Structures are given as structure tokens and as C-alpha cells.
Amino acid sequence: MNRTFGIYVILSLALLFPACREQKPGEHISLIPLPAEMEARPGSFSIRPGTPLVYSNEELSATARYALSFLGLCGDGQQKPLLAKDTEGVRNAICLLLKSDYNEVLGDEEYRLTVEPDGISISANRPAGVFYGVQTLYQLMSTSVDGKLPCLEITDYPRFGYRGLHLDVSRHFMPVDFIYKYIDYMAMHKLNVFHWHLIDDQGWRLEIKSHPKLTETGAWRVDMSDLHWGLRPLVYDPDNATYGGYYTQDEIRAVVAYAAERNIHVMPEIAMPAHVMSALAAYPEYSCTGENLGVAPGAVWPITHIYCAGNDDTFAFLKDVLLETMELFPFEYIHVGGDEANKANWKTCPKCQMRISDEGLADEEELQSYFVRRIERFLNEHGRRLIGWDEILEGGLAPNATVMSWRGEQGGIEAARMGHNAVMTPTSHCYFDYYQGDPVLEPQAIGGHTTLSNVYSYEPIPEALNEEEAKRILGAQANVWTEHMPVPEQVEYMVFPRLAALSEVLWSPAEHRDWTSFWQRMDAQYMRYERLGINYSLSAFQVTVSPGVDPENRRLLLRLDSEVPDPEIRYTLDGSDPTSRSPLYTEHVAVDAPGTFKAAIFKDGRSMRQVLEREYNIHKAFAADVTLSYPNNPHYNGHGEYSLVNGIHGTRNPYDGNWKGFYGDDMVATIDLGKAIQINGMEVDALQSYYAYIFLPKQLRIEVSEDGTHFVLLDVLQHDVSPNDVEGVIHLFSTNKQAENVRYIRVHAENLGHCPPNHFAEGERAWLFVSEIAVY
């Protein structure tokens, strides 16, 4: 089956992984996440439609029904699981058992799966463990031949108690049918917390009967899908607000029950005090200004239109919302957001200033702490616990709060050292809205770069914590923000296969972590995704290139790599797509003339269709000596001393390794051509990446000299790109002016200096990125 996502075509895994279909019983046991303990034994047992499924306790009835369908055992459709309190004499069946002696060490999610010649048993302390055993049995069956399973014994349990996956349904509403699929995907990966981001500036998705305008008004916005997310203006136009949707309370209850049968807790996020423009479009009286700015159709920054912390009616409203929320969601945790609240309106609001005075607070940061503490008291009174993004640390942490650390590890470290629990979800490893491959080959994403191997390398316990503090780290989760994911198929593409990597990080013992083993086991996982119709990504099969320079021979040396262990990489130098007959990469590829380079991973003689393409340019300044008047930032050093004259241009990805970055400084580069020559033109590229604080230079000034002391102006180059253009832009400054007797060239790119007005980081120092200075 071929499936197309936009222009990103994914081939059938029957073609890409043919070897996976031919393996013999017991030849390769491929499980993700990897079990804690596994012992192979001689013999096998065959499962076929109609194989009896027996369970020993009424507590397992839901799991038994699920297993019968999920494992494909229904036969003629009339079969039902059998309740048998004594399974001692049961043979040639699958038995689901609850242990009579609870094992405190292994806990509620442990299970033991045994395959013997006369049957299969899954036993556990609690139904959750049996459920996870069923998931493991499914994976064993998915790689079996004719239903024949090798005999073995697996004893398994998770490393972390919190294993989460987030989904933002505010930026783009997702149909409830997809939510069910999402939960099934979580269960398959042994995750147990679904963080449902129901509220944000762009839409309110939860029916609240006491305040119906939240969904009548707050769930809908003006459709501006034709504009980039960051270019959509705020507008109050309720008559034309047609884009959105919400979940009824009956739909919520059904989802929560469905998740519970799969051992998944559903944690709602009711954002406050910021990310609430959808609520304030319905009830503007709970803001500081009373102004109705509408439901935001796109990006909002800075987020100043927030709840008024000085108005008691705001808290009465939120208590109403939370009471209905708690009735719908039985999970102990309620997420309250707490992030990215700009306090500008609080600083000028008489009610907020009076609150600061009356409560003896130092400033607006402590006012946010007051806000969170007040909400926490209410939740605690109703037997619930508060969790929020790491900004809730600012101004003082509420007494019983749990911190979700997203801006790196520091929030989790601080919380643990204060005796609070933390869930780790740093942008560096857990933000699945980031690119997972080369942006040239990928659908639009918000930025960043988080590959499959990057996720797999993540260690949730920060090194800075001691043994006791480390116990405060409950686990981790992946975050899926949907600004650039308007449809479920794109959510799937961004989540899979990275979720497989995170599931192993959170479930399997740390000492079992092995990238090569995981990669090999992913063959079978891709096949499972294919059977389930998941729109997964093959970005992990992309090739990366590191250009080096041979200055003596004026050659570019291309070194290729990939996340794939021991990859088969084939390449071309003529611009054609590589085939199985193209040269095999074994060491660096030497290039001494301009052209187009392409490379791709091959598996079993077939291209994985993730084709790297780069132009290279051996020009007059190639491998010349370059002196910088102001050093570039060491974190953005391109490929070293020749990076600006190595013939390789950077991509729209600022982290591709080709760019030299200057933080707040101009780039003044003086090139020594080695001898005086005639030049016939020049090109200099620069990057603008709005969300990464990278902007085009104000202008580019080019001077030439014969002696390196006396320079003459050759050209001043301008551009017409606005610094507030949020689209990723590579601008090529070009001149065709000629000059004779030129040995030295000085290129001065003038840094914008600071992020421009209305930028979310207005006033902070701006970055300037340049990758190549070409001379002709």
C-alpha cells in the first residue's frame, strides 16, 4: 500500500523491509520497548484464530475482551474469552492471570509472559501488567511465521511510572476518532499518561455547561489557513469564525473510559493565566482590559491578554471550569499551564496592583505564584494535584505542585531539590513538533532538530541530581504542538517513529539501551506501523554530509553519515538520483568542480528515497584564508576555518552545521586570495529564521584591495525582506561588478543588532548567519 502525505511519499514496508517477512520462528525476537528480562527456551507454540483465551479474575474481563480482538483470535466472530478461576489444567490456550501474592518491588505494571509448548500465560500483580503483557504478545505474534511463537519467559516492568504523550488540539482541532487511535498508539508503546492540551489562545475545546459561550464562541476562529501561522493578525469577527470544534462532555467521558481500559490516564490541561484568548473572547470581563480581541487565528506573542489576577470573579469562573473538569477527568493531576504569561497588563491593572499590595507581594512574578497557589488550594481541597510548566517556579512554587520541565532540565532539577516531583519534557529531546530530518525533505515544522537517535539518547534523570533527588523525577513525555500539523496524518508523521524511541527510554532499564539493537528491532516496528495504517516518517534514513577542504589540491571532501548503523550509502555527482549501481560510499568523496551531489541510503538493494541533494561550488575564493574581525559564536562555527569558502551553502535549517553565527556582532570577513587576480562578481548568502532570532543583515558592503591595507569599495548590497517575515529565508546578496588586481576582499555584513519591534524577543540581541562567500 502506498500512502502519500503532501509530497512526502512513503513506500510500502513490504518492499523496504522484505527480510522482516522471511525470518524463521525464534530467529529474531523484536520487541519495543525492550523487556527488562527475557530468556529464550526450546520449542514453540502456535496461535491461530480460535485459540481459546482464558482469564482468571473478573478484574481482567475488559483486558480479556480487548486481547481477543487485538490479537485477532475471534475466529468466526462468535468466540468470547472464558472466565476460569482455576486455570491449572488449561492447555493450548492463552491464559491471563492475576497473582495472588502481590509483589511490592515490581509494582502495578509488572508482568510475566511465558510461552510453552502447551500454551501461553500472562500473569501480573494488577490488570495493568496483564494489559502490557498482551501488548508484548501482539509484538511477538506480528513477527511470527504462521502463528508459531518461540518458547520463552519474559519478566518485565517499567523504569518510570510516568510515561506520557501530549497532544495540542487547540491550534488545530482533532476529530474524536483520531483521539481513540492516538490512545491505541500510546498503549502499543506502553505509555500511560495522555496529556490533552484542550485550551489555548487559538481555541477552547472542552464543553463547560455552566459557561456555554466557551464553546459557542471560544471554540471557533476566523480561518486564515492561506497565511503562514506567524503572519495571521488578531481579529474579532465572530460572524466569520468558522474554523474549530470542541468535544462534548459525553465524548470526553467516552474517551476517558476508553483510555482507562488501556491503562492510560487522561490529564487535561486547563491553561492559566496565559494562553487563554479563546476564553477571553467568550468572557472578556475576566481580562485586565475587558477588551475582546477574538480567538487568535495564529501565533500570539507576547501573550499579554491574560486572566486578571486581581479580579475575584476570575477565580470564581475558573473554579466553575475546574469543577466540571474534575467531574470528567478522574486522574489525580490537573495541568494548569502557567507558561509564557507576559505581565504587562498586570503592571497597569489597578485590580492586580491592589492584589499585590493587599497580599504583600513583591511584584508581578509573585502575583503569578499567588494565582497558582490559589488554584492549587482549590484542587487539593477536591483531592487533586496541580502540575504546570516550569514557569510556575517563578515567584515561588506552590506547596504541593509538580513541575513539568520543558525549558531544558533546570526546572526539573530545581523542583527535585526543593522536594517536589517533576516530569521531564525538554525541547532538546521531547518536542516532536521539531524537525526530525533535513528541512528540505520534511514538511513544515516549527523549527529545531530532534532526530530519532537524539530522542533515543535521552536520559530523563539529570546528572546534577543525587540518588534521593532523582527519585523525584516521575518520568518524561513527548510534546506535540500542532501549529504546523493541521491534520491527523501530519501528527502521525511527526510522532512516529520517535515515539518508539521515547517508549524504550521510559520503559526499559537504562543499562539495556543500545542504538544498534534498537535500530534492528525497528524493522519489525515499521512493519507494525504499516499494518496499522500509521503515517510514519522515514527521516532516520536520511544522509548527512560534512564538507571538509583540501586546500593544497583545491578539493572539497564530502564525508557522509547517517543515523543508520553501518549504512549502505550510494551517491552521484551529476545531479541524478542514486541507484543500486551508483558508487558505494566508503570514504570521503573528492569534488574539484562545480556540480550537484546526491546521496541516499539503500537497504536490500532498494533506495529508502530520502535523497540528500547539495550544490557545490569550487570558486575563486575556495579554500582561501579568511580572517574575521569579530569571532563567530563557537556554537555556530560551520565546518571550521574554511567554512565560509568551502563551496557549500547552508539550508533553511540553522542547525545543519554549515552556518557561521554571529550573536549581536557584524560579520567582517577578509579573504586572502593568495595572489592578485581579476574578479567578475560575488555572491554571499545569509539566513533569516524568525523564531530562532536570526535575521538578514541590514546591508552588505564589499571592498577590495591589492595590498590588504588600502581597500576600495566594490559594492553595497541591500535587500527588501522584512525582519518580521516569519518564513525561513535564504537571501543571496549578489553583484556582477568586476575588479582587477584583487588579492584581498573584505565583506562586511551589518548585524540587525537586536530583535525587531513586535518580535517575541524584542530587544534581545539578534543573530546573523552566513554560510558562503563565493567569488567568480
Side-chain angles (χ1 to χ4, degrees), residues 577-656:
D577 282 351
T579 70
S580 59
R581 295 187 180 90
S582 299
L584 176 66
Y585 175 76
T586 55
E587 58 180 357
H588 63 256
V589 180
V591 177
D592 57 10
T596 301
F597 173 80
K598 289 189 176 183
I601 298 284
F602 281 72
K603 184 177 178 64
D604 299 318
R606 296 181 181 274
S607 171
M608 299 306 293
R609 300 296 178 92
Q610 304 289 304
V611 181
L612 169 77
E613 180 176 350
R614 294 288 185 270
E615 302 288 332
Y616 44 83
N617 184 8
I618 310 301
H619 50 80
K620 290 181 178 179
F622 180 83
D625 291 333
V626 179
T627 302
L628 295 174
S629 298
Y630 308 104
N632 58 274
N633 184 283
H635 296 293
Y636 299 99
N637 192 34
H639 296 285
E641 60 177 322
Y642 295 109
S643 190
L644 292 173
V645 288
N646 66 0
I648 296 286
H649 287 275
T651 67
R652 288 187 296 110
N653 178 11
Y655 315 108
D656 68 3

Side-chain angles (χ1 to χ4, degrees), residues 140-288:
L140 289 170
M141 291 173 61
S142 71
T143 56
S144 69
V145 176
D146 297 328
K148 185 174 290 186
L149 273 59
C151 289
L152 52 73
E153 181 172 275
I154 292 172
T155 301
D156 200 14
Y157 43 88
R159 181 183 175 202
F160 291 100
Y162 185 110
R163 305 178 303 281
L165 180 62
H166 159 284
L167 182 63
D168 164 18
V169 296
S170 175
R171 273 51 179 257
H172 292 287
F173 178 73
M174 297 292 160
V176 71
D177 286 349
F178 177 66
I179 303 302
Y180 287 120
K181 289 173 64 176
Y182 205 69
I183 288 168
D184 282 333
Y185 300 155
M186 290 182 63
M188 175 183 173
H189 292 83
K190 297 186 172 73
L191 303 182
N192 66 349
V193 179
F194 172 38
H195 178 171
W196 206 353
H197 186 84
L198 291 159
I199 314 301
D200 217 300
D201 294 313
Q202 294 78 15
W204 184 285
R205 308 299 181 207
L206 173 63
E207 181 187 24
I208 299 295
K209 293 184 177 180
S210 61
H211 296 276
K213 287 194 292 184
L214 286 171
T215 47
E216 292 171 359
T217 300
W220 308 95
R221 65 178 188 249
V222 176
D223 188 0
M224 297 186 184
S225 300
D226 57 322
L227 296 177
H228 186 282
W229 183 260
L231 295 177
R232 301 177 187 180
L234 293 177
V235 59
Y236 175 63
D237 186 6
D239 292 338
N240 290 303
T242 58
Y243 187 93
Y246 66 93
Y247 307 103
T248 68
Q249 292 198 359
D250 285 343
E251 287 175 323
I252 294 288
R253 290 188 184 95
V255 166
V256 169
Y258 188 86
E261 289 186 349
R262 287 149 181 79
N263 193 46
I264 292 172
H265 304 290
V266 182
M267 178 173 70
E269 181 174 351
I270 309 298
M272 60 184 80
H275 288 283
V276 293
M277 289 185 66
S278 58
L280 298 177
Y283 299 99
E285 61 268 28
Y286 301 131
S287 70
C288 290

Side-chain angles (χ1 to χ4, degrees), residues 159-160 409 429 455-463 505 510 513:
R159 181 183 175 202
F160 291 100
E409 293 185 328
H429 295 81
V455 176
Y456 193 75
S457 71
Y458 180 51
E459 172 46 53
I461 304 293
E463 290 184 1
V505 167
R513 200 94 59 83

Side-chain angles (χ1 to χ4, degrees), residues 370-388:
Y370 164 86
F371 192 115
V372 174
R373 288 169 185 261
R374 184 164 172 175
I375 293 297
E376 186 192 52
R377 282 197 302 272
F378 178 74
L379 292 175
N380 291 167
E381 288 168 2
H382 290 80
R384 302 304 180 88
R385 304 181 67 179
L386 180 146
I387 185 171

Side-chain angles (χ1 to χ4, degrees), residues 159 405 408-409 423-426 428-430 453-462 473 475-477 502 505-506 513:
R159 181 183 175 202
S405 186
E409 293 185 328
V423 173
M424 307 303 288
T425 180
S428 58
H429 295 81
C430 296
S453 61
N454 180 243
V455 176
Y456 193 75
S457 71
Y458 180 51
E459 172 46 53
I461 304 293
I473 304 301
Q477 78 174 24
L502 187 63
V505 167
L506 296 177
R513 200 94 59 83

Side-chain angles (χ1 to χ4, degrees), residues 67 77 137 178 258 268 323 361 365 442 451 467 540 571 667 721 746 758:
L137 180 57
F178 177 66
Y258 188 86
L323 282 172
L361 306 175
E365 298 302 325
E442 296 293 317
T451 64
E467 186 175 348
Y571 66 91
M667 184 203 73
V721 179
R746 186 160 61 202
N758 300 319

Side-chain angles (χ1 to χ4, degrees), residues 344-635:
N345 285 354
W346 285 2
K347 291 179 181 179
T348 59
C349 172
K351 290 182 179 179
C352 288
Q353 292 304 306
M354 182 173 292
R355 180 81 73 192
I356 290 173
S357 175
D358 290 348
E359 297 293 335
L361 306 175
D363 53 24
E364 288 73 24
E365 298 302 325
E366 288 197 6
L367 179 58
Q368 172 155 335
S369 178
Y370 164 86
F371 192 115
V372 174
R373 288 169 185 261
R374 184 164 172 175
I375 293 297
E376 186 192 52
R377 282 197 302 272
F378 178 74
L379 292 175
N380 291 167
E381 288 168 2
H382 290 80
R384 302 304 180 88
R385 304 181 67 179
L386 180 146
I387 185 171
W389 302 110
D390 55 45
E391 285 95 332
I392 67 173
L393 285 159
E394 297 166 6
L397 187 58
N400 304 305
T402 296
V403 171
M404 190 165 276
S405 186
W406 72 278
R407 296 177 299 177
E409 293 185 328
Q410 193 56 40
I413 293 171
E414 289 182 26
R417 287 177 172 170
M418 294 167 63
H420 288 255
N421 291 336
V423 173
M424 307 303 288
T425 180
T427 57
S428 58
H429 295 81
C430 296
Y431 268 50
F432 287 5
D433 55 334
Y434 282 14
Y435 284 107
Q436 56 194 313
D438 185 347
V440 174
L441 300 175
E442 296 293 317
Q444 177 70 47
I446 200 165
H449 194 236
T450 303
T451 64
L452 181 65
S453 61
N454 180 243
V455 176
Y456 193 75
S457 71
Y458 180 51
E459 172 46 53
I461 304 293
E463 290 184 1
L465 298 181
N466 62 36
E467 186 175 348
E468 282 303 308
E469 293 166 344
K471 294 177 183 177
R472 291 289 185 176
I473 304 301
L474 302 180
Q477 78 174 24
N479 289 340
V480 183
W481 303 102
T482 60
E483 286 94 335
H484 299 286
M485 302 179 213
V487 294
E489 292 78 11
Q490 196 163 354
V491 172
E492 291 179 358
Y493 183 87
M494 299 301 284
V495 169
F496 301 101
R498 289 187 285 190
L499 192 63
L502 187 63
S503 74
E504 187 145 308
V505 167
L506 296 177
W507 182 278
S508 305
E511 60 271 20
H512 288 183
R513 200 94 59 83
D514 181 272
W515 171 249
T516 299
S517 166
F518 174 77
W519 181 265
Q520 292 169 345
R521 287 179 281 116
M522 277 304 299
D523 278 6
Q525 192 77 344
Y526 284 125
M527 289 292 291
R528 295 177 191 119
Y529 292 165
E530 180 75 7
R531 293 187 185 111
L532 293 171
I534 296 174
N535 191 55
Y536 53 86
S537 166
L538 292 176
S539 305
F541 287 91
Q542 292 177 11
V543 178
T544 58
V545 59
S546 299
V549 169
D550 176 5
E552 293 184 7
N553 297 301
R554 285 181 54 79
R555 298 186 306 172
L556 183 63
L557 304 177
L558 303 180
R559 295 176 175 84
L560 308 182
D561 201 358
S562 172
E563 294 186 82
V564 179
D566 193 23
E568 178 187 342
I569 303 176
R570 296 190 179 274
Y571 66 91
T572 62
L573 297 171
D574 60 4
S576 63
D577 282 351
T579 70
S580 59
R581 295 187 180 90
S582 299
L584 176 66
Y585 175 76
T586 55
E587 58 180 357
H588 63 256
V589 180
V591 177
D592 57 10
T596 301
F597 173 80
K598 289 189 176 183
I601 298 284
F602 281 72
K603 184 177 178 64
D604 299 318
R606 296 181 181 274
S607 171
M608 299 306 293
R609 300 296 178 92
Q610 304 289 304
V611 181
L612 169 77
E613 180 176 350
R614 294 288 185 270
E615 302 288 332
Y616 44 83
N617 184 8
I618 310 301
H619 50 80
K620 290 181 178 179
F622 180 83
D625 291 333
V626 179
T627 302
L628 295 174
S629 298
Y630 308 104
N632 58 274
N633 184 283
H635 296 293

